[in-house]
């Protein structure tokens, strides 16, 4: 049984900084999302607003409105914003205090750790609730250094990289894993960020809070742990962009995963870096070249983030990219992963399609 949760995303749902809430609305293996708090979209259906398809998750005006409408208070309150400035405002802290007093456990994806906040911890103790800082790294004795064992792994390892942060790398990776599983393949997803952890990923850690050595080691270790399930293929979530001057996570992921192939996610209409309006976006050519030189692997497909694009623009851009780069191109939210899977079978011929019906237990 999933535990119920409400997600706070004031004025950011459906936007770039609302990517935690956006991801949980699209997929949550751990929590049953019973509502989103965002006064700017109050009264709307979260699924319909985000992707055009209703999913029954309401958007509420504020915390009190949510509690009044819902039959009972959810078990968890999730802070669902990922801003560049990673500190809670005084008003946001008051909302979290109210949630604690309502008896809700708190899930926080910010690098400002509520477990280090004396007021929050005293309230949590008083009201017998727990606080989970999902980006708080384990103690150093429980972290892993890079070992080099990843060099011996024969299982196909794919990374979904991007030309910027918040372009949909995790969503594409999850969609691809889902599609591979429907073919009967044992595909495993490795998360590298807080949203994947919140969505219930079994393997991975939020690596942006780790030093570079441990970040590389933790990516490698997550893959080595996943190998115990004898996967047919492993898909690793990318972070940021290798070319992005503000982040180093991409380099740690590539070093730790040593991917055998790379899928590159790109938003064609985005002109400047997310949260950095004075820094222009890289070209696909420059990012592909950088990724291939750095990793020693090939970019095998391009996936599109359709922000600010209509269906006609998506179709024409897909065709133009395929003609120019001679690679399969798709938008997995608008279409599907069939082009990606065909390319993977071409590159990795030992990936055997299995009829999913044959994988079902016999009665």
């Amino acid at each position: 049984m999933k535990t119920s949760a409400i997600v706070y995303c004031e004025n950011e749902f459906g936007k770039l900084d609302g990517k935690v809430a956006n991801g949980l609305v699209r997929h949550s293996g751990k929590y049953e999302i019973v509502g989103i708090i965002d006064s700017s979209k109050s009264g709307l259906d979260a699924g319909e607003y985000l992707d055009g398809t209703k999913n029954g998750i309401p958007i509420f005006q504020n915390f009190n409105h949510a509690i009044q409408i819902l039959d009972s208070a959810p078990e968890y309150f999730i802070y669902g914003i990922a801003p560049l400035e990673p500190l809670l405002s005084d008003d946001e802290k008051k909302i979290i205090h109210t949630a604690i007093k309502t008896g809700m456990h708190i899930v926080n994806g910010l690098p400002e750790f509520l477990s280090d906040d004396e007021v929050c911890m005293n309230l949590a103790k008083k009201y017998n609730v727990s606080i989970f800082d999902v980006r708080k790294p384990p103690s150093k004795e429980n972290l892993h250094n890079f070992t080099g064992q990843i060099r011996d792994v024969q299982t196909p390892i794919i990374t979904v990289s991007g030309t910027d942060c918040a372009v949909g790398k995790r969503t594409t990776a999850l969609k691809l894993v889902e599609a591979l599983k429907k073919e009967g393949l044992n595909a495993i997803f490795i998360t590298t960020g807080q949203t994947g952890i919140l969505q219930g990923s079994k393997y991975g850690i939020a690596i942006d809070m780790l030093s570079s050595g441990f970040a590389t080691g933790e990516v490698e270790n997550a893959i080595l742990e996943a190998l115990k399930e004898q996967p047919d293929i492993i898909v690793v979530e990318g972070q940021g962009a290798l070319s992005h001057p503000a982040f180093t996570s991409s380099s740690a992921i590539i070093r730790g995963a040593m991917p055998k192939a790379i899928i590159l996610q790109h938003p064609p209409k985005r002109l400047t870096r997310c949260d950095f309006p004075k820094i222009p976006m890289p070209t696909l050519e420059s990012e592909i070249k950088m990724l291939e030189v750095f990793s020693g692997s090939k970019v095998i497909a391009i996936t599109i983030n359709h922000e600010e694009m209509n269906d006609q623009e998506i179709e024409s851009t897909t065709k133009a990219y395929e003609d120019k780069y001679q690679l399969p191109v798709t938008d997995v939210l608008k279409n599907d992963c069939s082009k990606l899977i065909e390319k993977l079978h071409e590159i990795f011929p030992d990936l055997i399609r299995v009829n999913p019906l044959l994988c079902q237990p016999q009665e």
Side-chain angles (χ1 to χ4, degrees):
M1 290 286 291
K2 295 181 184 179
T3 53
S4 60
I6 194 163
V7 183
Y8 177 85
C9 196
E10 176 57 29
N11 200 39
E12 297 296 339
F13 183 66
K15 299 180 182 179
L16 298 180
D17 285 352
K19 64 180 183 179
V20 175
N22 302 343
L24 287 168
V25 164
R26 287 185 171 123
H27 170 80
S28 180
K30 186 174 182 179
Y31 301 102
E32 179 191 358
I33 307 302
V34 297
I36 302 293
I37 297 173
D38 182 348
S39 63
S40 65
K41 292 99 183 174
S42 178
L44 301 177
D45 179 277
E48 185 174 32
Y49 179 82
L50 196 60
D51 294 320
T53 303
K54 288 186 177 182
N55 62 4
I57 299 176
I59 304 178
F60 296 108
Q61 177 74 21
N62 52 43
F63 180 84
N64 290 334
H65 177 226
I67 299 303
Q68 289 171 2
I69 298 298
L70 295 170
D71 293 336
S72 59
E75 296 171 77
Y76 289 84
F77 176 97
I78 300 174
Y79 184 85
I81 307 174
L84 181 62
E85 296 295 333
L87 298 176
L88 292 164
S89 68
D90 290 341
D91 286 342
E92 288 174 328
K93 284 187 176 181
K94 288 177 183 178
I95 293 169
I96 289 172
H97 296 166
T98 301
I100 292 173
K101 293 174 183 178
T102 309
M104 299 171 66
H105 303 295
I106 306 299
V107 181
N108 169 41
L110 289 175
E112 178 187 6
F113 303 135
L114 296 178
S115 56
D116 295 335
D117 185 296
E118 185 176 354
V119 174
C120 280
M121 291 308 295
N122 286 338
L123 281 173
K125 183 177 180 180
K126 179 179 179 180
Y127 291 93
N128 195 31
V129 303
S130 299
I131 291 177
F132 301 94
D133 291 314
V134 297
R135 283 168 79 180
K136 192 170 190 177
S139 56
K140 283 187 171 58
E141 60 267 22
N142 293 320
L143 288 170
H144 298 84
N145 283 304
F146 182 78
T147 68
Q149 294 179 67
I150 195 71
R151 292 165 58 89
D152 301 322
V153 174
Q154 300 301 308
T155 304
I157 299 170
I158 313 302
T159 58
V160 180
S161 300
T163 54
D164 196 10
C165 53
V167 294
K169 296 179 288 289
R170 183 195 65 258
T171 298
T172 290
L174 286 169
K175 289 284 187 182
L176 178 57
V177 167
E178 180 184 6
L180 289 164
K181 285 182 175 180
K182 286 181 179 178
E183 289 210 337
L185 291 166
N186 183 16
I188 290 182
F189 170 69
I190 307 290
T191 192
T192 53
Q194 72 271 25
T195 306
I197 295 170
L198 289 172
Q199 289 175 315
S201 177
K202 186 176 180 180
Y203 299 103
I205 190 172
I207 68 165
D208 64 344
M209 298 303 296
L210 304 176
S211 63
S212 58
F214 284 133
T216 302
E218 285 297 325
V219 173
E220 179 194 45
N221 182 69
I223 294 171
L224 296 178
E225 287 293 312
L227 289 176
K228 295 175 182 178
E229 296 192 30
Q230 298 183 315
D232 297 305
I233 186 169
I234 293 172
V235 181
V236 182
E237 173 194 12
Q239 294 292 328
L242 186 59
S243 63
H244 203 303
F247 309 115
T248 60
S249 298
S250 283
S251 61
I253 291 167
I254 291 171
R255 287 186 170 116
M258 290 194 173
K260 296 174 172 61
I262 297 170
I263 294 169
L264 182 58
Q265 180 99 0
H266 178 63
K269 284 293 190 77
R270 192 180 297 185
L271 300 179
T272 59
R273 300 278 194 179
C274 172
D275 291 326
F276 292 89
K278 293 185 179 181
I279 303 179
M281 284 287 292
T283 63
L284 273 170
E285 290 92 337
S286 65
E287 197 73 33
I288 290 171
K289 182 177 179 180
M290 184 178 289
L291 281 166
E292 293 186 341
V293 169
F294 188 84
S295 69
S297 296
K298 290 291 185 182
V299 172
I300 63 165
I302 297 168
T303 47
I304 290 175
N305 176 320
H306 61 249
E307 63 184 45
E308 307 298 330
M309 299 175 73
N310 58 40
D311 289 346
Q312 185 177 354
E313 288 173 321
I314 296 169
E315 184 178 349
S316 61
T317 300
T318 297
K319 186 179 186 306
Y321 283 178
E322 288 185 332
D323 291 342
K324 182 174 182 178
Y325 300 103
Q326 294 298 296
L327 293 172
V329 179
T330 190
D331 178 339
V332 302
L333 286 177
K334 289 288 186 179
N335 299 301
D336 57 30
C337 293
S338 57
K339 290 182 181 179
L340 305 181
I341 291 176
E342 288 300 321
K343 189 65 176 181
L344 289 173
H345 280 295
E346 175 189 325
I347 296 172
F348 304 108
D350 291 338
L351 277 178
I352 307 299
R353 283 185 171 90
V354 180
N355 184 340
L357 295 177
L358 299 180
C359 301
Q360 301 302 316
Q362 300 297 313
E363 295 184 0

